[in-house]
Amino acid sequence: MKATTFSRIQTGLRAAVAAAAIATAGHAMAAPAAPAQPSVVIVHGAFADGSDWAKVIPLLQAKGIRVTAVQNPLTSLADDVAATRRALDNQPGKVVLVGHSWGGTVITEAGVHDKVASLVYVAAFAPDAGQATGELGKGLPTPPGIGKLSVDKAGFASLPPAALKEDFAQDVPAVQAAVMAATQGPIAMKAFEDKTTVAAWKNHPSWYIVSKNDRMIQPDLERAFAKKIGAKTTELATSHVPQQSRPQDVAKVILDAVAATK
């Protein structure tokens, strides 16, 4: 074979390999990316902070889920919603938005964000549009813990350590309850008068955990919320903080919401 002929063959082979590589790369670029797993944003309630979710977060992270715990200022509904929206803005894609207690009111307002795919309420308020948290549950007996609130001269309410142990987290170890009392976030009482303007649960699939031994929100009120919003409901025999006493069960409900989010 002449050298010139061999050279032409080599050149042709190189060109064919290059063309195949370009075609393969082009196909890879054009192929749709696999849908990303939704992230989870968690909104804590009154008398708490983001560390209230310290037992659930690692269970979600172990499944490869990105988790963000909002740190609410607890100064007003608008301020807490703004903090939640900032967290939502920073997520890469779809979000399962979780709210505990007062955090339920926050996610009801903030959940209309275009990244929110579903909602999880954990022993939480679920107001309708135009409702204030303070007006929910009227006609029911005042929960024991609410009757023990301490309000300072600036108008911020907190739970005395004994009340937190007996009525907020009666099913966690005493040492843990003492830490929760020390790290709790006092809430401005006027926040309970702030009215929602929307109700995100009307347009999103929802999950609800009822705490059967709750002494901060009447369990029957929680059941009424769950029924009203058409939530997939789980009942746990826990205090107001199932995320502290039954973290695996709470994580399971959140994982169910993640798995159902398309």
Side-chain angles (χ1 to χ4, degrees):
M1 183 182 291
K2 293 182 179 180
T4 54
T5 301
F6 183 73
S7 177
R8 290 194 189 105
I9 292 173
Q10 280 188 316
T11 302
L13 286 171
R14 291 192 195 101
V17 170
I22 292 171
T24 301
H27 177 74
M29 290 175 64
Q37 185 170 230
S39 56
V40 172
V41 172
I42 302 175
V43 183
H44 67 81
F47 323 119
D49 67 2
S51 68
D52 198 37
W53 287 85
K55 293 183 179 180
V56 173
I57 289 171
L59 299 176
L60 302 178
Q61 291 175 332
K63 300 294 185 180
I65 297 171
R66 171 175 170 150
V67 186
T68 300
V70 176
Q71 295 290 353
N72 285 328
L74 299 176
T75 45
S76 69
L77 176 59
D79 290 345
D80 288 357
V81 168
T84 300
R85 285 175 177 158
R86 288 194 298 274
L88 293 171
D89 286 341
N90 291 330
Q91 301 310 305
K94 292 182 178 180
V95 176
V96 173
L97 184 58
V98 183
H100 171 244
S101 192
W102 159 256
T105 299
V106 178
I107 70 170
T108 296
E109 181 80 8
V112 295
H113 193 287
D114 58 9
K115 290 185 179 180
V116 174
S118 55
L119 304 167
V120 179
Y121 290 81
V122 180
F125 294 105
D128 205 337
Q131 285 188 311
T133 303
E135 69 187 64
L136 303 174
K138 285 187 175 179
L140 292 173
T142 300
I146 298 300
K148 300 176 183 177
L149 294 181
S150 174
V151 182
D152 65 21
K153 62 182 181 181
F156 281 78
S158 60
L159 277 169
L164 191 140
K165 180 181 180 297
E166 295 168 3
D167 300 305
F168 191 84
Q170 68 267 26
D171 54 357
V172 307
V175 171
Q176 182 183 342
V179 172
M180 292 170 66
T183 59
Q184 70 176 293
I187 186 169
M189 286 295 291
K190 62 183 179 66
F192 295 124
E193 301 172 7
D194 295 339
K195 294 185 177 182
T196 56
T197 62
V198 293
W201 50 262
K202 291 185 177 180
N203 297 303
H204 292 83
S206 299
W207 282 253
Y208 198 107
I209 294 176
V210 173
S211 292
K212 295 167 68 173
N213 301 324
D214 204 319
R215 293 171 64 84
M216 297 299 297
I217 301 176
Q218 287 288 355
D220 283 343
L221 181 58
E222 295 177 11
R223 294 184 182 102
F225 287 142
K227 181 178 180 181
K228 177 182 70 175
I229 70 178
K232 299 174 181 66
T233 305
T234 298
E235 295 208 8
L236 299 177
T238 64
S239 69
H240 188 55
V241 286
Q243 66 271 26
Q244 293 276 12
S245 58
R246 299 273 291 273
Q248 291 183 329
D249 292 318
V250 173
K252 182 181 183 303
V253 173
I254 297 172
L255 289 171
D256 287 346
V258 169
T261 298
K262 307 299 182 183

